[in-house]
Amino acid sequence: MIYGAWICLLSPLAAAGLITLTGERISRRTAGYLATLSCFVAFGGAVVTFIGLLGREGEQRSIVSTAWTWISGGSYRSGFEVMIDPLSVFMMLIVSGVGALIVAYSIGYMDGDNEERRYFAYMALFVFSMLLLVQGGNLLLLLAGWGMVGLSSYLLIGFWHERPSAIAAAKKAFIMNAIGDATMALALFLLIKKAGSLEFGILGGEYSSTVATLVALGLLGGAVAKSAQLPLQTWLPDAMEGPTPVSALIHAATMVTAGVYLIVRTHAIFESAPHVADLAAGLGAATLLIAGLIALVQVDIKRVIAYSTMSQIGYMFLGVGLGAYANGMFHLMTHSFFKALLFMAAGIVIHALADEQDIRKMGGLRQLMPRTYLAFVIGSLALVGIFPFAGFFSKDSILAAALDRGAYGYVLWVAGLAGTFLTGLYTFRLLFVVFWGEPSPFVREHFHALERDVVGLSLAIPVAILAALSVAGGWIQWAPLWHPIETWLRTAAEPTVSPENWQEWVSSGLALLFGLGGMYVAWLIYGARRLPVPRFAFPQRVLEHKFYFDELYDALFYRPTVWAAKGLHRWIEEPLVDESSSSLGHDTRDLGRIVARAQTGLLRTYALAIASSVAVLAVVFVAVR
Amino acid sequence: MMGPGTAWYLSVAGFLFGVGTLGVLIRRNPLVVLLSLEIMLNGANLALIAFARHLNDGDGQIFALAVMAVAASEVVVGLGLIVALNRKRVPLDVDRLNSLRG
Amino acid sequence: MTTLLIVLPLAAALVIWLLPLNDISAGALALLAALAEVGVWIQLVARYDFGQGGLQFAQQWNWFSDLHVSYHVGVYGFSVWLVGLTVVVMAAAIAYGFWTGRDRMRAYLGLMLFLTGAVVGVFTAQDLLLFYAFFEAMMIPLYVLVGVWGGPGRMAATLKFVLFTMAGSLLMLASIVVYGLSQNTFDLVQIGQSSSNWIFLGFVAAFAIKAPLFPLHGWLPDAYRESSPEVAAILSGVVSKAAAYGFLRIAIAKFPEPTQHYRATILALAAGGLIYGSLLAFRAPDIRGVVAYSSLAQMGLITIGVFSVNDLGLDGSVLLMVNHGLVSSTLFLLAGMVERRTLTGELARLGGMARGRPALATVLLTTGVIALAVPLSSGFAGEFLVLAGVFRHGWGWSVVGAVAIVLAAAYVLRLVSAILHRNIGAAVSDAALDLRPAELGVVVPLVACLLALSAWPAAITQHSFRGDHGQADVAQGFK
């Protein structure tokens, strides 16, 4: 079982290294197969670990396996170790499973690109990094995985590096993530000072409320950055510059969910700092509303789905902030299924339309791509949370948990319900605009169907699998009736809220109603064209500018930094470098000139000097005697 | 042996030294400066010998001989320089020989 | 064996200077000597007893017995790693210089080898006057290397370099003399600790100029820009570590009370330099400028680690010293390789070099991410330890360090993108080929060392101080 965990972790790394070293000696397709194979091997390892863990009970379900001491300083040690417990296995299965499907899909999607090998090496590196993050046996390795995930994301977003917009987006993503890394590091320093170690167990220790709040805040900063929640959410939409499978893997299923995982993993410290947990829930709620609103005006197919991701992760943050850890993780799982499905279906559409992503140019694809349309429908229904699709079971239990938390909880509950309406609205807006109606002129001109070959198969099969999971996957847990996930995760993270059954039914009912309401309004406006598209100038502008966050950050951070750098260079560096040495030279020369005046060249001056010095010496000599 | 006391010799030596110094400082002709330098040296020599006799120590007289040798060599060099200067029609005026100015 | 490490390159230098060899044989001989040096070092590492720690492989011969000055050399745990850094980087530099071809090859190679011996001497000298002698001996070949084989502005750069370093060295000499005479011995192992602020400041001045530490870095930009790439690599990779070593071995070990007294000031200057260097690197218009200012920033960070004087900080600073030495020398060598191909280092005229040049892109990117201390790299491990260590003296320092982490990401990514990505720059033509096998042979070993170190940073952090207790060693003055 321990070997299973190590194989899971290391197999994608091995693939990445192998692809990098062999370079052009293997074909591009081979690189793809290699990467996919390594992810399936990782999944196999995860399954083996899962089975092994099933055989154990309760407290025994937590093992740390150390390979070697990674770093040390005095009495502080951190090993290169993996943690095997229900939570990590849960994540391992999702990451490697969905990851393998997406890498398989990439074989078809990226076919024909010159740099396929680099792509697959980066994808394998990413899967490794994400696995390190979820399997890391101590907080330092978690941070290591955290950073590597940010790096892989940079590499993949900026994959088509000839495009300045892609490079800019990649840098933005990395730097915002680096801010999160920095706050997490500060939290870890505080922990080292107080507890002397970074093993997960120390999180349950006794800390003063200030210390616990600071640590939790630092961790939350990292979570917010990685999961693109308010206030560090601006990098996610730009990240759509990367290839679509990248968006599916990183910005739907795995990387952005890392923040949720972090909070659950370190739940002990969040429980010691309840205000920070409430803050997390609040940020989640705010993000889900704002993202939902912005999604209403987006015209790029991938950006709509991206904002949808941001919104859904807001739900997850809401859940884990309130203490409903299992519910949050369950939604993480179902979300990875249907969001990846949506991205992959969108990818097929984009490919079919010669890489066009503007939905205003699309329309009427329902007849031309029936299977893709079906996948999209399944994904959308799951996303909105319609029974019996996956999202219904996971999202509603989060809302129910909010009811268990008093007045603040009610506010969050209302926000969540409003978000459900928005979800229905923007999701089906997208569906109707892209697939319904008559095929637009652009579509008629550029559409070409997919071939039936390896490419086509590699695109179709993962989509089909994910569609099936989106339909059936939710049935694993239906909160009032059966909840194996909660039981499974109980030893790793005991939930602190447990909604009553009636709360569950009420939430589910209302959420379903609101979701259907959103769908209906979307149908009215975009599907059946009964109502005109609302056009309110000011809100439209605000939404299109994404609430002006980019402009705010530009003014607050980027401009001052550049200005400071310019100022320092002009006022300090140039004088320091140029004049320090030239002033040294000039001063020395001036001093020399002054002293040189004694050298008159006249014999008599020198003679006088000698004579007078002798006289003085003689006087001194006599006087001293 | 009797004769004038050591103090008289020393005063003559001092007088010679003073005259020589004045000559070095005041005169403008390098030849005269060299002459005055010689007078200074002679004064010093006289003082050396006087002390040698006074302290009954032969070292002073030996040293005076050494001084004479050095004076002779230095005069040779000095006179050589002055003759060369004269040949080049450089004015023999110490105040105008200042090309080694710093 | 320590003396062998010092004498081998010196002897090789002498041989190359004296024998009338042609360029190829001189180069081959120099490279052979450099690699033999690495081999001797490997022997040293294998045989050093890390469990016991302390001074090993010591040799001592009397020099001036009335002043108690002796030729005393030996290695500690952490100096083993610094010597290793030196020999590896020098071997890479010599290989690069040999491959690129410089005029007056024999003189050049001889100077490089002489420099190797002198730097190893600095790291192993256990006597103050011997240390000073090697410290100065290190500067002589550098003056010549920068002044003769440098770029167009080399004379001004050398002059600045000379003036600054001389000023520092003279202050250090004064300190050494007073210190040694007052303690009646010049032997670093035996000499007692002192509480004199002035002597401490004399040492600190010299090391602060050499490192360099803000604001005494006036010589840095020009010297790094004008020297040839491998000399710049040596300056920033190896020579600056001599200053950091001096801080560690002499300043904090022998002057505990002045260290306490001046700690806040020095930390403030180092932290200031960290932010200052990072900001200027973010703005620098050429490759060399970015790497030079990032060096300034990293040396600030290393100084923070040294002056936190606790286990975490000291282990972290040693790791960072080795890491930065490898990273910045690789970056300067890569800068040289790019400059050879495009005849310019200006970022505005570069770009798009990743297309068709996978080797260059991979090596540059890998080195870049280790430079910005991406978590799981050795740079991260070092920075983490240093900032965790200085956290004990005040959380503000760590916050500054954390800000610097974000800035480092900004300037490194800017550098990498400006060279590799986006549109093809004006100076980049198709004739600029990918890295040749010889060039790969120079940088790949360095990168491989970095990757190995990233997988196992504890190799250095657990094996630097006796039983991994840096503070105890420092407090005892390294007995």
Side-chain angles (χ1 to χ4, degrees):
Chain A
M1 172 179 63
I2 296 186
Y3 286 123
W6 282 105
I7 289 176
C8 178
L9 177 66
L10 294 173
S11 122
L13 181 65
L18 202 57
I19 298 177
T20 310
L21 288 173
T22 52
E24 310 228 324
R25 282 176 280 238
I26 55 172
S27 80
R28 299 194 303 239
R29 187 61 67 80
T30 316
Y33 288 144
L34 204 55
T36 315
L37 184 65
S38 74
C39 289
F40 275 110
V41 167
F43 184 67
V47 169
V48 164
T49 317
F50 174 63
I51 296 175
L53 213 55
L54 272 179
R56 292 172 174 236
E57 281 308 318
E59 284 315 304
Q60 291 211 331
R61 285 184 175 180
S62 172
I63 306 133
V64 176
S65 155
T66 313
W68 63 77
T69 306
W70 193 61
I71 201 181
S72 67
S75 52
Y76 163 75
R77 295 251 182 292
S78 267
F80 197 85
E81 52 201 10
V82 293
M83 158 77 94
I84 302 172
D85 80 342
L87 180 61
S88 68
V89 168
F90 185 79
M91 289 298 293
M92 278 157 70
L93 287 168
I94 295 177
V95 171
S96 56
V98 178
L101 287 174
I102 296 179
V103 179
Y105 171 89
S106 307
I107 298 180
Y109 193 84
M110 298 298 290
D111 179 65
D113 191 299
N114 268 332
E115 307 256 347
E116 265 183 77
R117 297 179 195 90
R118 188 162 60 97
Y119 173 85
F120 284 109
Y122 288 163
M123 286 295 253
L125 183 67
F126 173 83
V127 175
F128 161 73
S129 314
M130 191 69 203
L131 285 169
L132 180 63
L133 199 161
V134 301
Q135 286 185 267
N138 55 48
L139 282 167
L140 191 61
L141 274 185
L142 193 153
L143 183 60
W146 199 264
M148 286 293 287
V149 162
L151 174 67
S152 318
S153 164
Y154 163 79
L155 292 171
L156 284 164
I157 295 174
F159 179 70
W160 286 312
H161 55 71
E162 311 82 38
R163 291 194 208 161
S165 53
I167 293 291
K171 279 196 243 182
K172 186 173 177 181
F174 191 89
I175 292 181
M176 294 200 104
N177 272 288
I179 298 177
D181 291 355
T183 58
M184 271 181 80
L186 285 172
L188 294 190
F189 297 149
L190 188 51
L191 278 175
I192 293 185
K193 181 173 176 186
K194 294 291 175 189
S197 128
L198 287 179
E199 301 297 314
F200 286 126
I202 62 159
L203 290 164
E206 287 291 318
Y207 299 109
S208 75
S209 83
T210 330
V211 171
T213 310
L214 286 172
V215 173
L217 270 178
L219 293 173
L220 182 62
V224 158
K226 190 69 71 184
S227 297
Q229 299 294 287
L230 245 59
L232 292 172
Q233 85 289 11
T234 52
W235 64 269
L236 186 60
D238 290 2
M240 295 301 114
E241 293 280 341
T244 309
V246 170
S247 309
L249 180 60
I250 297 187
H251 306 125
T254 45
M255 170 166 151
V256 289
T257 54
V260 182
Y261 166 78
L262 177 69
I263 298 182
V264 176
R265 176 59 85 193
T266 58
H267 67 94
I269 202 91
F270 279 93
E271 281 160 21
S272 311
H275 293 300
V276 183
D278 287 341
L279 178 63
L283 285 175
T287 311
L288 75 89
L289 283 177
I290 289 187
L293 287 170
I294 299 180
L296 291 174
V297 301
Q298 291 302 308
V299 295
D300 179 317
I301 187 174
K302 284 170 65 175
R303 293 220 169 162
V304 178
I305 308 179
Y307 279 107
S308 162
T309 306
M310 209 191 277
S311 185
Q312 293 302 307
I313 297 182
Y315 274 102
M316 295 179 217
F317 264 62
L318 185 59
V320 298
L322 291 170
Y325 305 122
N327 294 334
M329 294 305 287
F330 181 37
H331 194 53
L332 196 157
M333 183 179 94
T334 58
H335 174 263
S336 68
F337 297 152
F338 57 71
K339 197 45 67 65
L341 173 65
L342 281 173
F343 265 116
M344 284 155 83
I348 297 181
V349 169
I350 294 172
H351 247 11
L353 291 178
D355 290 338
E356 181 56 53
Q357 296 182 210
D358 190 329
I359 60 177
R360 292 171 297 192
K361 297 200 182 141
M362 301 179 191
L365 287 171
R366 180 166 50 163
Q367 300 99 311
L368 295 168
M369 313 174 78
R371 281 184 298 269
T372 312
Y373 173 65
L374 181 63
F376 215 90
V377 168
I378 294 176
S380 305
L381 287 172
L383 173 54
V384 180
I386 306 296
F387 184 91
F389 294 93
F392 170 76
F393 300 97
S394 51
K395 196 191 300 190
D396 301 345
S397 41
I398 291 180
L399 289 175
L403 285 177
D404 200 33
R405 271 298 222 96
Y408 185 57
Y410 272 106
V411 172
L412 298 174
W413 185 73
V414 169
L417 282 176
T420 325
F421 176 78
L422 287 173
T423 310
L425 185 52
Y426 67 66
T427 313
F428 276 84
R429 163 180 177 261
L430 185 65
L431 185 91
F432 292 136
V433 170
V434 173
F435 289 98
W436 279 36
E438 286 306 310
S440 71
F442 182 88
V443 168
R444 268 192 279 265
E445 206 180 307
H446 288 98
F447 178 77
H448 77 279
L450 294 174
E451 323 286 322
R452 282 199 166 280
D453 59 352
V454 176
V455 171
L457 276 180
S458 97
L459 290 177
I461 295 182
V463 172
I465 297 179
L466 283 173
L469 283 171
S470 300
V471 173
W475 287 91
I476 289 186
Q477 169 157 311
W478 194 357
L481 302 175
W482 57 89
H483 39 87
I485 292 194
E486 196 170 308
T487 321
W488 172 252
L489 290 177
R490 178 152 294 156
T491 50
E494 177 89 39
T496 59
V497 289
S498 46
E500 311 280 323
N501 272 351
W502 70 264
Q503 290 172 325
E504 296 270 358
W505 291 115
V506 167
S507 298
S508 293
L510 281 175
L512 194 56
L513 211 60
F514 275 81
L516 286 169
M519 284 166 63
Y520 179 65
V521 174
W523 178 76
L524 281 179
I525 301 179
Y526 298 102
R529 315 271 160 140
R530 298 264 181 85
L531 293 178
V533 179
R535 293 225 173 275
F536 305 109
F538 176 70
Q540 179 97 357
R541 223 183 16 241
V542 169
L543 288 181
E544 272 171 12
H545 283 250
K546 299 163 274 179
F547 287 91
Y548 292 107
F549 268 99
D550 279 321
E551 288 79 355
L552 179 68
Y553 289 154
D554 185 57
L556 262 186
F557 296 115
Y558 184 70
R559 295 249 176 92
T561 310
V562 173
W563 176 85
K566 275 201 197 138
L568 280 178
H569 185 83
R570 189 150 152 243
W571 297 110
I572 300 188
E573 184 69 6
E574 269 173 26
L576 205 60
V577 170
D578 295 336
E579 288 175 21
S580 58
S581 61
S582 57
S583 70
L584 247 168
H586 287 144
D587 289 344
T588 315
R589 200 173 44 183
D590 290 341
L591 188 64
R593 281 217 191 102
I594 294 174
V595 172
R597 289 212 212 122
Q599 300 294 316
T600 57
L602 292 173
L603 186 66
R604 294 212 272 176
T605 321
Y606 304 147
L608 182 60
I610 296 173
S612 36
S613 355
V614 168
V616 167
L617 277 174
V619 167
V620 167
F621 184 67
V622 167
V624 164
R625 279 315 211 83
Chain B
M1 76 160 264
M2 282 290 97
T6 319
W8 288 102
Y9 284 100
L10 287 178
S11 44
V12 171
F15 174 71
L16 280 174
F17 191 82
V19 165
T21 314
L22 271 175
V24 167
L25 289 178
I26 292 177
R27 299 301 296 264
R28 283 163 66 172
N29 190 324
L31 205 49
V32 177
V33 168
L34 213 51
L35 239 155
S36 318
L37 211 53
E38 285 307 306
I39 299 176
M40 281 167 75
L41 282 168
N42 273 301
N45 267 348
L46 190 56
L48 274 170
I49 294 169
F51 274 119
R53 169 55 68 94
H54 179 71
L55 298 172
N56 263 324
D57 189 351
D59 288 350
Q61 301 190 9
I62 309 279
F63 196 34
L65 283 174
V67 169
M68 277 187 229
V70 168
S73 349
E74 162 243 323
V75 158
V76 165
V77 173
L79 278 176
L81 277 173
I82 293 177
V83 168
L85 281 175
N86 203 23
R87 285 234 191 100
K88 288 258 177 187
R89 312 224 182 267
V90 174
L92 284 179
D93 179 349
V94 146
D95 283 345
R96 289 172 53 191
L97 293 171
N98 65 350
S99 50
L100 278 183
R101 185 192 176 109
Chain C
M1 198 177 321
T2 322
T3 312
L4 177 61
L5 272 174
I6 301 177
V7 166
L8 172 58
L10 293 176
L14 218 53
V15 167
I16 293 184
W17 277 334
L18 291 175
L19 294 183
L21 301 165
N22 67 8
D23 282 357
I24 308 271
S25 356
L29 184 58
L31 193 54
L32 204 61
L35 291 173
E37 180 88 349
V38 176
V40 174
W41 176 73
I42 294 179
Q43 273 270 304
L44 184 74
V45 172
R47 296 225 229 128
Y48 184 90
D49 183 355
F50 287 104
Q52 196 195 346
L55 190 68
Q56 294 179 22
F57 297 104
Q59 281 144 338
Q60 185 164 18
W61 292 304
N62 250 320
W63 197 1
F64 309 132
S65 42
D66 43 354
L67 287 174
H68 303 282
V69 176
S70 55
Y71 171 87
H72 188 186
V73 295
V75 286
Y76 289 95
F78 65 95
S79 35
V80 170
W81 302 115
L82 292 174
V83 171
L85 170 70
T86 312
V87 298
V88 167
V89 171
M90 293 298 311
I94 290 178
Y96 187 72
F98 175 33
W99 182 78
T100 351
R102 305 257 169 238
D103 329 316
R104 288 174 286 199
M105 199 59 130
R106 281 171 47 218
Y108 177 82
L109 291 168
L111 284 168
M112 295 282 258
L113 285 169
F114 185 84
L115 181 57
T116 316
V119 177
V120 172
V122 168
F123 286 130
T124 53
Q126 303 301 332
D127 176 285
L128 275 171
L129 278 183
L130 188 64
F131 175 82
Y132 182 76
F134 278 123
F135 204 78
E136 292 305 299
M138 189 169 68
M139 302 315 296
I140 302 171
L142 275 174
Y143 301 154
V144 183
L145 283 168
V146 177
V148 174
W149 284 277
R154 60 186 183 274
M155 286 325 291
T158 319
L159 190 64
K160 266 187 237 189
F161 185 37
V162 167
L163 287 176
F164 269 90
T165 341
M166 278 272 99
S169 300
L170 286 175
L171 288 171
M172 180 163 77
L173 182 60
S175 287
I176 288 180
V177 167
V178 174
Y179 187 34
L181 290 178
S182 67
Q183 297 277 337
N184 204 26
T185 174
F186 283 86
D187 187 275
L188 268 177
V189 177
Q190 308 234 334
I191 202 168
Q193 293 177 329
S194 154
S195 55
S196 159
N197 282 339
W198 292 109
I199 305 183
F200 175 74
L201 286 177
F203 281 114
V204 165
F207 299 137
I209 293 180
K210 187 62 136 259
L213 221 52
F214 176 85
L216 298 170
H217 63 282
W219 61 272
L220 177 105
D222 288 332
Y224 283 16
R225 284 197 172 106
E226 297 296 335
S227 21
S228 56
E230 64 277 7
V231 174
I234 297 170
L235 268 176
S236 87
V238 171
V239 172
S240 51
K241 308 302 170 289
Y245 169 82
F247 275 134
L248 181 55
R249 180 78 183 81
I250 302 179
I252 62 167
K254 301 292 177 189
F255 298 91
E257 284 150 41
T259 308
Q260 282 272 67
H261 190 214
Y262 286 106
R263 189 208 307 277
T265 324
I266 296 183
L267 281 181
L269 285 177
L274 176 57
I275 299 288
Y276 180 81
S278 304
L279 283 173
L280 285 176
F282 183 56
R283 271 273 298 147
D286 57 336
I287 309 180
R288 298 260 194 133
V290 174
V291 185
Y293 285 115
S294 89
S295 256
L296 179 61
Q298 287 291 312
M299 286 311 295
L301 195 53
I302 294 177
T303 311
I304 291 180
V306 169
F307 277 90
S308 56
V309 197
N310 56 37
D311 292 335
L312 289 166
L314 289 170
D315 281 336
S317 64
V318 175
L319 178 57
L320 265 186
M321 282 187 221
V322 177
N323 177 68
H324 176 251
L326 290 170
V327 162
S328 77
S329 38
T330 313
L331 284 176
F332 272 116
L333 287 173
L334 285 170
M337 292 174 197
V338 170
E339 284 166 6
R340 251 173 79 90
R341 288 162 167 74
T342 59
L343 301 179
T344 178
E346 282 176 56
L347 294 175
R349 302 188 56 216
L350 294 172
M353 286 191 85
R355 281 176 242 186
R357 298 178 191 86
L360 175 65
T362 313
V363 174
L364 183 58
L365 201 53
T366 313
T367 316
V369 300
I370 299 183
L372 68 82
V374 69
L376 201 61
S377 66
S378 44
F380 166 73
E383 287 194 13
F384 188 81
L385 284 175
V386 165
L387 293 176
V390 81
F391 195 82
R392 299 220 184 116
H393 288 292
W395 53 266
W397 305 118
S398 301
V399 171
V400 170
V403 171
I405 292 181
V406 180
L407 287 174
Y411 69 68
V412 170
L413 291 184
R414 169 179 174 262
L415 176 69
V416 168
S417 287
I419 299 178
L420 295 178
H421 299 147
R422 291 198 289 234
N423 304 315
I424 300 192
V428 178
S429 72
D430 285 337
L433 300 171
D434 200 1
L435 293 184
R436 324 291 304 128
E439 291 171 316
L440 280 176
V442 169
V443 282
V444 166
L446 294 174
V447 177
C449 286
L450 279 170
L451 289 173
L453 201 55
S454 299
W456 193 33
I460 292 190
T461 63
Q462 244 183 333
H463 300 109
S464 294
F465 297 101
R466 201 193 314 256
D468 195 35
H469 288 287
Q471 188 169 9
D473 265 346
V474 162
Q476 285 192 342
F478 290 106
K479 290 288 179 279

